[in-house]
Amino acid sequence: MIQNNNQGALQHPLGTGFNAQSTASDVISGIDLTGKIVIVTGGNAGIGVETTRTLAAAGATVIVPARDVDKARKNLEGIQRVEIEAMDFMDPGSIDAFADKFLHSGRPLHLLINNAGIMWVPLRKDARGIESQFVTNYIGQFHLTAKLWPALKRANGARVVNVSSLGHHMGNIDFNDPNFEHRDYETLAAYGQSKTASNLFALELDNRARDYHVRAYAVHPGSIGGTELAREAPVALFQQMGFLDENGDMRPEVLASLKTIPQGAATTVWAATSPLLNDLGGVYCEDGDVAELLSFDPAVESNAKFHQSGVMQYSLDEHSAKRLWVMSEKMTGIAFDVK
């Protein structure tokens, strides 16, 4: 029996019956989370709000660490069993402070939803010199998960869900220059490598953590209308990706493919709660199911990034996952010993 998803060995759809139109409420139907403790990063904006609302409605206590606490309070007003705390992935000290406060509470952590993310931003770096998309979309995930590991283990049955993206098709990790110190900055390449890293982290975390009853997943929520991800994006980038025509208008086929926010949160919620995943981890999921594996080489097939679904095999590569773990420990200064 195959035990891990290295090279995508377990990337086979389960036939759940869910699809791109399924909503977060659909996939959690019949599941009771009473007494469960959940952390949702970025849980105060976009699909994060829907994720928070859905999990809380199922009975969970949901903690939302947010960069802007006042904004979070406004966006989450009226949702029961929600706690809001300050945290900013660009500030490693704030991650430590948040995690320390949670650990001091003595509570177990049943679900960690690494949902926070950015896209289409110009070149920025944190105080350590790490590129902002790599920090926010991946390094922050690694840092927070490492710090919260004792609480995840204490739950005796926890899940970590990394919100990744089909955008991982846009780029593998440049291990020699992840922070664009020796190459021209391309925002989509930076986004792609950050999401590839998120997939690899879920793979390796699951391999290391499953003996402690902690499973990990990466999910693609879909292309979603009504979020804040595009707030800094110039029109030219959307045209480059084929979303807009030469006049700057959204192509009809793109508009028709966009998910609503409840649909966009569905795969996150499914990966966090589905009993079908009780004995399966390290997989990349989309549309409420395990995704198909794309085994071709994107360096050879130049149209690879135009595929509308599926996971690239390079983002589930065993060697790359282990190499990324070591690099992440060096970048953060954290020895993430899963034991």
Side-chain angles (χ1 to χ4, degrees), residues 42-189:
N44 62 303
I47 64 171
V49 174
E50 187 68 17
T51 301
T52 297
R53 179 186 295 112
T54 301
L55 297 174
T61 296
V62 184
I63 300 148
V64 178
R67 184 173 52 190
D68 186 334
V69 171
D70 290 337
K71 175 183 175 181
R73 289 198 182 103
K74 180 179 178 181
N75 289 353
L76 298 172
E77 186 177 3
I79 302 177
Q80 300 298 312
R81 290 182 295 278
V82 171
E83 302 173 14
I84 299 169
E85 300 287 348
M87 192 186 77
D88 181 355
F89 270 165
M90 290 288 283
D91 176 7
S94 76
I95 300 175
D96 291 338
F98 168 78
D100 288 346
K101 181 176 181 179
F102 182 83
L103 292 177
H104 187 70
S105 75
R107 293 185 287 183
L109 178 58
H110 300 92
L111 297 174
L112 172 57
I113 313 293
N114 285 315
N115 168 79
I118 59 174
M119 187 179 186
W120 289 308
V121 298
L123 178 61
R124 297 189 184 107
K125 296 182 179 181
D126 72 0
R128 299 167 294 187
I130 306 175
E131 188 271 326
S132 65
Q133 292 187 87
F134 203 66
V135 169
T136 306
N137 299 344
Y138 166 61
I139 285 292
Q141 296 181 349
F142 181 89
H143 187 154
L144 182 62
T145 306
K147 288 293 183 176
L148 292 172
W149 172 246
L152 287 164
K153 188 167 64 171
R154 189 180 303 125
N156 194 32
R159 293 185 186 182
V160 177
V161 179
N162 294 343
V163 177
S164 181
S165 171
L166 187 74
H168 78 273
H169 290 204
M170 298 176 189
N172 203 344
I173 300 171
D174 187 333
F175 283 100
N176 296 317
D177 189 21
N179 298 311
F180 293 86
E181 296 171 345
H182 308 294
R183 54 180 170 143
D184 292 337
Y185 182 72
E186 295 181 6
T187 188
L188 293 179

